[in-house]
Amino acid sequence: MSRRLSLPAGSQVTVTVSPTRGKAESPGAGDAVVKRGAGGIGITSPAPRHSLGGAAGPASATLQLSPVRRSGGSRYASRDGAAGADGSAEFVHYTVHIPPTPERAVAASADSAGAPAAAAAAEDGQDGAAAAEVRAQRSYISGTIFTGGLNQATRGHVLTTSGAAAAAAASANLSCKMRGCDMPAFLTSGAAGGPCDCGFMICRECYADCVAGAGNCPGCKEPYYAGSDTDDDGGGGEDDDEAVSSSEERDQLPLTSMAKRFSLVHSMKIPSGNGGCAGAGGGGKPAEFDHARWLFETKGTYGYGNALWPKDGHAGGGGTGFAGFEEPPNFGSRCRRPLTRKTSVSQAILSPYRLLIAIRLVALGFFLTWRIRHPNPEAVWLWAMSVTCEVWFAFSWLLDSLPKLCPVQRAADLDVLAERFELPTARNPKGRSDLPGIDVFVSTADPEKEPPLVTANTILSILAADYPVEKLACYLSDDGGALLTFEALAETASFARTWVPFCRKHGVEPRSPEAYFGQKRDFLKNKVRLDFVRERRKVKREYDEFKVRVNSLPEAIRRRSDAYNAGEELRARRRQQEEAMAAGTLPGALPEAAPTVKATWMSDGSHWPGTWLTAAPDHSRGDHAGIIQAMLAPPTSEPVLGGEPAESGGLIDTTGVDIRLPMLVYVSREKRPGYDHNKKAGAMNALVRTSAIMSNGPFILNLDCDHYVHNSAALREGMCFMLDRGGDRVCYVQFPQRFEGIDPNDRYANHNLVFFDVAMRAMDGLQGPMYVGTGCVFRRTALYGFSPPRATEHHGWLGRKKIKLFLRKPTMGKKTDRENDNDKEMMLPPIEDDGFQQLDDVESSALLPRRFGSSATFVASIPVAEYQGRLLQDTPGAHQGRPAGALAVPREPLDAATVAEAISVISCFYEDKTEWGRRIGWIYGSVTEDVVTGYRMHNRGWRSVYCVTRRDAFRGTAPINLTDRLHQVLRWATGSVEIFFSRNNALFASPRMKLLQRVAYFNVGMYPFTSIFLLVYCVLPAVSLFSGKFIVQSLNVTFLAFLLIITVTLCLLALLEIKWSGITLHEWWRNEQFWVIGGTSAHPAAVLQGLLKVIAGVDISFTLTSKPGTSDDGEDDAFAELYEVRWSFLMVPPVTIMMVNAVAVAVASARTLYSEFPQWSKLLGGAFFSFWVLCHLYPFAKGLLGRRGRVPTIVFVWSGLISMTVSLLWVYINPPAGAKERIGGGGFSFP
């Protein structure tokens, strides 16, 4: 067993470990082989780690560190370390050179690693202990790339820096802030970065001078706390929290064994009856407020409807009254104030809306009955086709309207969130953030279609989000394994050190630099700091240089790789010549050199372990090793305040600004031929496992690479719904998707507001909105496939009979709960407070490795994430809560063994024989994995919430080109067809899903099939005009009355939807138009592809939707893609429908005009429906014409001439009855 050491950078340390198996030979300096056992390493999380007792660990992971030839100022180690054998060797010795990083200063001078530490310990034992603790938190793991995979050892490529870089890193805000002193600052356990809570950095000598003098902190001018000097505590003293908790004024509230396991903060108990909320009652419940006693002891008087505090201010005689309160108790105590509120739509709007739905439903019933009873004997086939389509349209409208009966609106109170989780309390006297951690997932796959600069802006907006820095972690999944994405992320991490403090200092919104600098509003509004304009100009120039560096990366990588490859070829040729000369072969008889592999090289002169520019074995898009790189190491738990540019070396003045950055990790999962990697769903599941080991946030936010954080407080608003009363039943919080870069007219309904503001709000009033793929905050345990703590089953007619279930109880996990292996539910084993678990719970825990994989570290992280995601104990209705302050603890440092364990869980074979993708994580088997994943959670009884913020939470891009838009709709519709023909069809939903929620999900799978009837109905007007027949025998009053009622009620319903949803009439009409465009183009193709997959087993593949990159072009070229005409087979049906209807109107008009007995009613009926079809397809026609004003006039002239010629030819060939003689006897005839 080895012990992790923390020593100054630049020094060498010799570590002795016992070998795991076999014999070993002591390698040379710089070589290292670390064998990690099953139970030796804990899980990295804000709480202490533990492993499940008795769980068998996986195979030992191997971490190899070895030196390579150095090039430039830095290097990566990428070759396997030598491993020999010595028969009598009992231990293995190896030397590790710890590289200097911004978190670790360079040692002064030492021959070995142990000498400086020993000398320091001899001089001051406490100084060495405190420094070791600080250095353990600020790990150098961010300087290492970890790779591994199938039949490969896990390797760590160590990055070392030059002396100049080390000197710059040593001055990064960790030195004494006293003028004229550059000694390293010292930190005390439990302090905010120094001996004072203000975080002012000061060395031990300057601190001693200040204490000997006035005794005040140079930063905040407040007296130093008496117990803050670590020289006098003897190394075994308690921290500040323990000092406060041992006060004579308060009794210590013993924590449960679970709280002791997960919390380092000691709790305190306020005397009962004080009206407070923090542990006032038994079992963590707030005590009842004794109002009569308060009035008696405080001499209170009654006012108008409330109790008034006496004006003399006597509160029971100088603090001896009611629990020593100097102010009247807060009757609306913060633990009882809700974090969120739900309001229904006004009944003045909702009641007429429901009434109109009922009226239209009745009118449709009478209309269809009349249509069936009154056929058209002149054209029975036309009548039958029209009635069939109308019945299906009525059924489709009913499926779409029923889930809209109960729309709701929600709002969050961020002030209550901050008051409950971030203010000093009895258990958290320092006011550290008690909010749970959030892991943010960003996915990308192809840097050519998803520009790295777009991804970089998304990452920067996440790093600058308004959330506790130590509770936030960002993971980028590069499914393509491209070096371009890796180096772009490295540039992003570097620029974030300037951008994030700038955002925090001036509170700018949005916090994506491209969006912020590109907005056209006045950026000086509400800005009062005098240095804002100057610093904004500096940051803007720095961002422009950053964009140039990122845009130049592809060419730089290509040139660098060509240069290294040319050098490799020369060396190979020279080596061949030397071997030939040694063998006596003539130079002219040398065979031609074998072509060398064109590798892709990193800037340090080593091979990139991912995908190469020229595909090669083990380095292609579907065949490369797994890669993990922590670009930004986990921050400290205490704020690190910046300083002036001259002192901190930064671009702007960050005095008083927290300059810490959240953890940023690059992840590229392993891919090998013969394994199904399951596209985006597989990448998301790999991130779930990686984050569980490295940070283990109980909540997960996933974003597409082009969706940036537009509202920095969006994460806090999402947490309000997760942590409020009943939040333990919420599986995810879905935010609406908002888009930028769309043309002002929204020609192709890219905003999709009818879905996001009407349908999703309506589902929020049922069991919750569906998951739409991005902008969603998940509860980690819900992704793990566990059931909610409570659920309701709906039985009987229309689900009127409700049965409440309490799923997390001590008796769960029995064999009777696992009878059906397909439909079994997995419930999280309860964590007992008495220190042991029942037999059934142990049995259930033993099943976890089979379900989740062989990683014991990952399995041990599951109960930790569940505990951290619980509600507070004093939350009303919380049955299994956590004590306040349990999460206000420092995060454990990230070490190499932990990252090596994370490498093992992203291997290509990890999910074999597990339930990943079947009922755990993102679900596989559909191109719309997002809808299926949300459906599975609702099917287990979870609820979801739709969070519409006043300022858009996230914004992204959407394809504005017609072809790209049609292909996007095709992918969505194909996924819906797959859902309809799978076991995820809502017809097979469990009783835990509400009836109207089932209807909504059933409509998701049904809507593509409406396109078949829509195609027929769009052709019927043309057929009617060509044949001279109509769908009814005559346009009588009954038919027109029904048609009028149905049309008027539809328009009134649209107006009321616009009223309660907030959309505009233009947006509603655009949605109707594109419904017809998609229904006649993409949806029929989706039905065909879905049927081919179900019947013939033909696999469906789609190309990645291209993301528009940032552009500095003028306004004229802002929407250049809108006018590009890219032909696709999906355009054939709409073009055919438009041409047929246009020609039919012309032919019918000419025939009626020339007819001896014109039938104007049939012409008007057919022309009206043809006009209805052409109006809905008008945006499609504009897309075919390209840019306005650039279409030659001759196109319109020839179009008119062709239409007229076709019409005249039809009339001449098939003239109306009785008009043949007139046409033939005239003066005009064809020769």
Side-chain angles (χ1 to χ4, degrees):
M1 179 177 182
S2 62
R3 181 180 180 184
R4 186 174 64 237
L5 299 179
S6 298
L7 295 173
S11 60
Q12 293 183 346
V13 54
T14 301
V15 184
T16 303
V17 296
S18 58
T20 56
R21 68 174 185 268
K23 303 175 181 180
E25 178 181 276
S26 179
D31 295 341
V33 177
V34 180
K35 296 288 186 178
R36 180 186 177 281
I41 303 298
I43 177 175
T44 299
S45 69
R49 303 174 185 141
H50 68 285
S51 59
L52 296 177
S60 298
T62 304
L63 172 65
Q64 298 184 357
L65 304 178
S66 58
V68 296
R69 173 176 44 82
R70 186 168 183 175
S71 174
S74 61
R75 68 171 181 172
Y76 289 91
S78 60
R79 295 186 306 178
D80 297 342
D86 186 4
S88 61
E90 185 178 0
F91 296 97
V92 177
H93 303 272
Y94 62 91
T95 302
V96 178
H97 180 78
I98 302 179
T101 64
E103 298 88 359
R104 188 183 298 273
V106 183
S109 61
D111 297 334
S112 66
E123 181 181 355
D124 191 349
Q126 282 304 113
D127 188 14
E133 180 180 358
V134 173
R135 281 190 290 268
Q137 295 179 0
R138 306 192 59 81
S139 172
Y140 66 93
I141 200 67
S142 60
T144 307
I145 299 180
F146 291 86
T147 63
L150 181 63
N151 298 326
Q152 291 185 353
T154 302
R155 299 182 178 89
H157 307 260
V158 182
L159 170 66
T160 59
T161 58
S162 60
S171 62
N173 303 314
L174 297 180
S175 59
C176 180
K177 298 299 182 182
M178 298 294 290
R179 295 189 179 276
C181 180
D182 57 353
M183 296 294 291
F186 80 99
L187 304 177
T188 58
S189 176
C196 183
D197 289 342
C198 69
F200 184 81
M201 295 294 181
I202 188 171
C203 65
R204 185 167 295 278
E205 290 76 9
C206 296
Y207 169 73
D209 295 340
C210 293
V211 172
N216 295 334
C217 172
C220 62
K221 309 303 181 185
E222 295 293 333
Y224 277 117
Y225 178 58
S228 62
D229 192 356
T230 58
D231 290 333
D232 301 330
D233 57 6
E238 298 177 345
D239 58 4
D240 295 340
D241 295 339
E242 295 180 359
V244 175
S245 64
S246 62
S247 175
E248 297 179 355
E249 298 179 0
R250 301 180 178 91
D251 298 328
Q252 187 176 17
L253 177 64
L255 299 178
T256 61
S257 61
M258 173 51 59
K260 292 178 180 178
R261 183 185 302 176
F262 291 109
S263 176
L264 299 179
V265 179
H266 286 249
S267 61
M268 296 173 292
K269 179 179 180 181
I270 299 178
S272 60
N274 58 359
C277 296
K285 300 294 182 182
E288 296 294 335
F289 176 70
D290 190 350
H291 190 259
R293 178 187 174 191
W294 176 78
L295 286 175
F296 174 76
E297 295 188 4
T298 60
K299 301 178 181 180
T301 58
Y302 278 103
Y304 184 73
N306 62 347
L308 298 179
W309 191 254
K311 294 183 179 180
D312 55 5
H314 295 289
T320 60
F322 184 76
F325 279 109
E326 294 294 340
E327 296 293 336
N330 183 10
F331 295 110
S333 186
R334 63 187 182 187
C335 68
R336 296 187 180 273
R337 292 174 58 189
L339 291 170
T340 63
R341 59 183 183 273
K342 180 178 68 174
T343 58
S344 301
V345 178
S346 174
Q347 292 298 322
I349 300 175
L350 193 57
S351 297
Y353 182 76
R354 295 171 176 172
L355 180 61
L356 283 174
I357 291 179
I359 293 175
R360 193 168 193 269
L361 181 60
V362 173
L364 283 173
F366 281 110
F367 172 72
L368 294 176
T369 304
W370 182 87
R371 290 279 285 119
I372 294 174
R373 290 184 176 182
H374 295 78
N376 184 5
E378 298 179 358
V380 178
W381 56 274
L382 191 61
W383 166 83
M385 294 172 61
S386 62
V387 170
T388 303
C389 294
E390 289 163 1
V391 171
W392 182 268
F393 291 153
F395 175 67
S396 177
W397 172 83
L398 185 62
L399 292 179
D400 185 65
S401 299
L402 285 180
K404 299 179 182 178
L405 295 176
C406 305
V408 297
Q409 297 177 352
R410 301 180 187 268
D413 194 337
L414 298 182
D415 295 334
V416 178
L417 182 73
E419 180 181 347
R420 187 179 300 182
F421 291 93
E422 295 182 325
L423 288 183
T425 61
R427 295 183 183 274
N428 184 19
K430 288 193 174 182
R432 294 169 177 162
S433 177
D434 196 27
L435 289 171
I438 299 180
D439 295 336
V440 186
F441 296 169
V442 181
S443 59
T444 182
D446 189 351
E448 295 181 359
K449 294 186 177 181
E450 297 171 332
L453 192 58
V454 175
T455 306
N457 276 270
T458 300
I459 297 296
L460 290 171
S461 67
I462 295 171
L463 298 180
D466 183 13
Y467 202 78
V469 182
E470 67 276 10
K471 302 298 181 70
L472 191 63
C474 181
Y475 295 83
L476 175 65
S477 170
D478 180 18
D479 225 24
L483 179 60
L484 174 59
T485 305
F486 177 84
E487 295 196 354
L489 188 63
E491 292 285 351
T492 304
S494 177
F495 177 70
R497 302 185 184 277
T498 299
W499 172 251
V500 174
F502 171 75
C503 294
R504 292 173 182 167
K505 179 179 180 179
H506 298 287
V508 300
E509 293 283 353
R511 298 193 174 181
S512 166
E514 186 68 26
Y516 173 70
F517 292 121
Q519 59 187 355
K520 298 180 180 179
R521 66 178 182 88
D522 183 14
F523 62 86
L524 297 177
K525 186 178 181 180
N526 300 329
K527 295 295 184 293
V528 296
R529 298 185 67 106
L530 300 180
D531 56 351
F532 170 70
V533 177
R534 180 176 64 257
E535 293 185 350
R536 183 184 185 275
R537 189 182 301 114
K538 292 181 179 179
V539 175
K540 176 64 168 62
R541 181 173 180 177
E542 183 70 17
Y543 175 65
D544 291 338
E545 296 178 356
F546 165 74
K547 290 202 301 184
V548 172
R549 292 195 300 270
V550 172
N551 292 331
S552 63
L553 283 177
E555 183 65 18
I557 294 174
R558 186 188 62 80
R559 291 184 177 180
R560 179 203 311 153
S561 300
D562 291 344
Y564 276 113
N565 289 329
E568 289 293 323
E569 291 179 359
L570 291 177
R571 281 189 290 272
R573 185 64 179 176
R574 189 179 303 111
R575 190 181 308 110
Q576 184 181 13
Q577 292 178 356
E578 292 175 355
E579 293 176 356
M581 294 177 62
T585 306
L586 296 178
L590 290 176
E592 295 184 359
T596 58
V597 179
K598 302 294 184 181
T600 300
W601 297 76
M602 294 186 288
S603 58
D604 63 339
S606 58
H607 285 174
W608 167 242
T611 302
W612 288 354
L613 298 178
T614 302
D618 296 334
H619 294 284
S620 60
R621 187 173 294 274
D623 183 14
H624 61 80
I627 308 170
I628 293 180
Q629 164 71 49
M631 295 291 182
L632 296 174
T636 59
S637 59
E638 300 295 343
V640 178
L641 304 181
E644 298 180 357
E647 299 177 357
S648 62
L651 188 67
I652 61 175
D653 184 6
T654 56
T655 303
V657 179
D658 188 2
I659 61 173
R660 294 176 301 163
L661 298 177
M663 182 171 69
L664 176 61
V665 182
Y666 171 89
V667 179
S668 181
R669 58 178 174 145
E670 182 190 14
K671 287 187 175 183
R672 299 298 179 188
Y675 289 88
D676 188 2
H677 306 296
N678 298 296
K679 302 180 178 64
K680 180 181 177 181
M684 289 293 100
N685 287 338
L687 286 184
V688 170
R689 298 189 295 270
T690 302
S691 62
I693 292 177
M694 299 184 67
S695 57
N696 200 28
F699 298 99
I700 294 172
L701 167 65
N702 86 292
L703 294 173
D704 288 342
C705 65
D706 61 328
H707 275 70
Y708 68 90
V709 181
H710 188 259
N711 183 359
S712 60
L715 277 67
R716 291 179 175 269
E717 296 208 24
M719 285 296 99
C720 288
F721 295 99
M722 289 291 191
L723 303 177
D724 200 8
R725 178 176 183 176
D728 54 350
R729 299 180 60 188
V730 177
C731 57
Y732 61 82
V733 177
Q734 178 66 59
F735 292 87
Q737 292 187 19
R738 304 301 188 207
F739 303 100
E740 292 179 341
I742 298 175
D743 59 298
N745 291 325
D746 194 11
R747 180 184 294 177
Y748 306 124
N750 290 100
H751 287 296
N752 208 3
L753 293 179
V754 174
F755 174 75
F756 288 113
D757 287 353
V758 178
M760 296 287 276
R761 283 177 186 265
M763 292 185 66
D764 196 17
L766 304 177
Q767 200 171 339
M770 64 183 66
Y771 169 46
V772 295
T774 183
C776 186
V777 179
F778 282 98
R779 185 179 297 275
R780 185 180 286 270
T781 52
L783 278 174
Y784 287 163
F786 295 110
S787 298
R790 302 176 306 281
T792 303
E793 288 189 354
H794 305 271
H795 298 275
W797 179 250
L798 298 179
R800 292 179 178 270
K801 183 180 179 181
K802 299 180 180 180
I803 302 177
K804 295 186 179 298
L805 304 176
F806 295 90
L807 303 178
R808 295 185 185 174
K809 50 187 177 180
T811 58
M812 67 183 176
K814 294 183 178 180
K815 294 181 179 180
T816 56
D817 296 331
R818 302 189 299 270
E819 295 178 354
N820 191 349
D821 187 66
N822 294 327
D823 298 331
K824 63 185 177 182
E825 67 179 27
M826 186 164 50
M827 296 172 288
L828 190 62
I831 303 175
E832 301 293 333
D833 290 339
D834 53 3
F836 64 89
Q837 293 180 338
Q838 299 181 6
L839 179 61
D840 293 332
D841 300 333
V842 175
E843 178 187 357
S844 179
S845 300
L847 296 177
L848 295 182
R850 181 176 65 85
R851 293 168 175 170
F852 294 96
S854 59
S855 175
T857 305
F858 175 79
V859 173
S861 72
I862 297 177
V864 178
E866 189 275 337
Y867 178 80
Q868 294 175 358
R870 291 182 181 180
L871 307 181
L872 295 180
Q873 287 180 348
D874 52 16
T875 303
H879 298 281
Q880 291 181 335
R882 62 173 176 86
L887 302 185
V889 294
R891 181 192 298 271
E892 291 189 9
L894 191 64
D895 54 10
T898 302
V899 184
E901 180 69 18
I903 283 288
S904 67
V905 300
I906 64 172
S907 61
C908 60
F909 57 88
Y910 183 83
E911 296 182 356
D912 291 348
K913 298 181 181 180
T914 65
E915 296 185 357
W916 284 99
R918 291 191 290 122
R919 53 187 307 273
I920 298 176
W922 271 258
I923 306 301
Y924 302 154
S926 175
V927 295
T928 53
E929 71 285 337
D930 45 5
V931 178
V932 177
T933 302
Y935 167 80
R936 290 289 187 89
M937 294 181 183
H938 285 143
N939 203 33
R940 298 188 190 104
W942 289 96
R943 295 177 177 270
S944 59
V945 171
Y946 196 54
C947 181
V948 182
T949 56
R950 182 169 300 179
R951 178 185 177 87
D952 294 343
F954 309 101
R955 283 190 179 181
T957 59
I960 61 176
N961 182 265
L962 176 59
T963 303
D964 293 340
R965 175 73 166 135
L966 291 180
H967 281 282
Q968 183 186 55
V969 175
L970 173 63
R971 183 174 70 252
W972 296 343
T974 305
S976 297
V977 176
E978 292 176 344
I979 292 174
F980 181 80
F981 288 110
S982 68
R983 61 185 298 267
N984 298 313
N985 193 318
L987 293 175
F988 311 111
S990 69
R992 298 182 187 177
M993 185 177 292
K994 293 184 177 180
L995 176 63
L996 293 182
Q997 189 80 7
R998 296 190 195 184
V999 173
Y1001 273 112
F1002 181 73
N1003 188 37
V1004 169
M1006 281 291 298
Y1007 81 90
F1009 295 95
T1010 306
S1011 61
I1012 301 175
F1013 303 91
L1014 184 62
L1015 277 174
V1016 176
Y1017 211 72
C1018 288
V1019 178
L1020 283 182
V1023 175
S1024 176
L1025 291 174
F1026 278 126
S1027 62
K1029 311 297 180 181
F1030 195 52
I1031 58 176
V1032 294
Q1033 189 171 5
S1034 62
L1035 294 178
N1036 53 22
V1037 178
T1038 306
F1039 176 78
L1040 294 178
F1042 278 127
L1043 193 62
L1044 181 62
I1045 293 175
I1046 293 173
T1047 304
V1048 170
T1049 53
L1050 179 63
C1051 295
L1052 292 177
L1053 285 172
L1055 292 177
L1056 290 178
E1057 285 183 359
I1058 290 171
K1059 185 69 176 177
W1060 63 257
S1061 65
I1063 65 176
T1064 63
L1065 182 61
H1066 176 267
E1067 292 163 346
W1068 180 86
W1069 173 240
R1070 287 300 189 196
N1071 182 80
E1072 292 294 313
Q1073 287 180 316
F1074 197 79
W1075 176 76
V1076 176
I1077 295 173
T1080 56
S1081 59
H1083 295 173
V1087 173
L1088 180 61
Q1089 290 184 350
L1091 292 175
L1092 289 176
K1093 181 179 181 180
V1094 173
I1095 299 175
V1098 178
D1099 194 13
I1100 303 172
S1101 61
F1102 290 96
T1103 59
L1104 190 66
T1105 303
S1106 299
K1107 308 295 189 301
T1110 58
S1111 176
D1112 297 331
D1113 298 335
E1115 186 69 21
D1116 296 338
D1117 296 329
F1119 308 111
E1121 292 186 1
L1122 179 67
Y1123 307 105
E1124 293 183 8
V1125 180
R1126 306 168 186 169
W1127 183 255
S1128 173
F1129 74 95
L1130 299 177
M1131 298 180 179
V1132 175
V1135 170
T1136 303
I1137 291 174
M1138 287 191 301
M1139 293 180 60
V1140 169
N1141 278 275
V1143 173
V1145 171
V1147 170
S1149 300
R1151 182 176 56 197
T1152 304
L1153 290 174
Y1154 285 103
S1155 176
E1156 184 175 1
F1157 303 101
Q1159 296 180 354
W1160 294 102
S1161 61
K1162 295 183 179 180
L1163 173 64
L1164 292 177
F1168 172 79
F1169 286 107
S1170 293
F1171 180 74
W1172 176 86
V1173 172
L1174 294 175
C1175 285
H1176 282 77
L1177 294 176
Y1178 175 70
F1180 180 83
K1182 289 187 65 177
L1184 292 180
L1185 295 178
R1187 184 179 292 274
R1188 187 186 311 169
R1190 296 189 179 183
V1191 179
T1193 308
I1194 193 64
V1195 173
F1196 299 101
V1197 174
W1198 277 106
S1199 299
L1201 291 176
I1202 292 174
S1203 300
M1204 293 172 60
T1205 304
V1206 171
S1207 301
L1208 292 175
L1209 286 176
W1210 178 267
V1211 173
Y1212 183 80
I1213 295 173
N1214 188 16
K1220 185 172 182 180
E1221 294 81 1
R1222 188 187 313 172
I1223 298 177
F1228 171 79
S1229 63
F1230 285 98

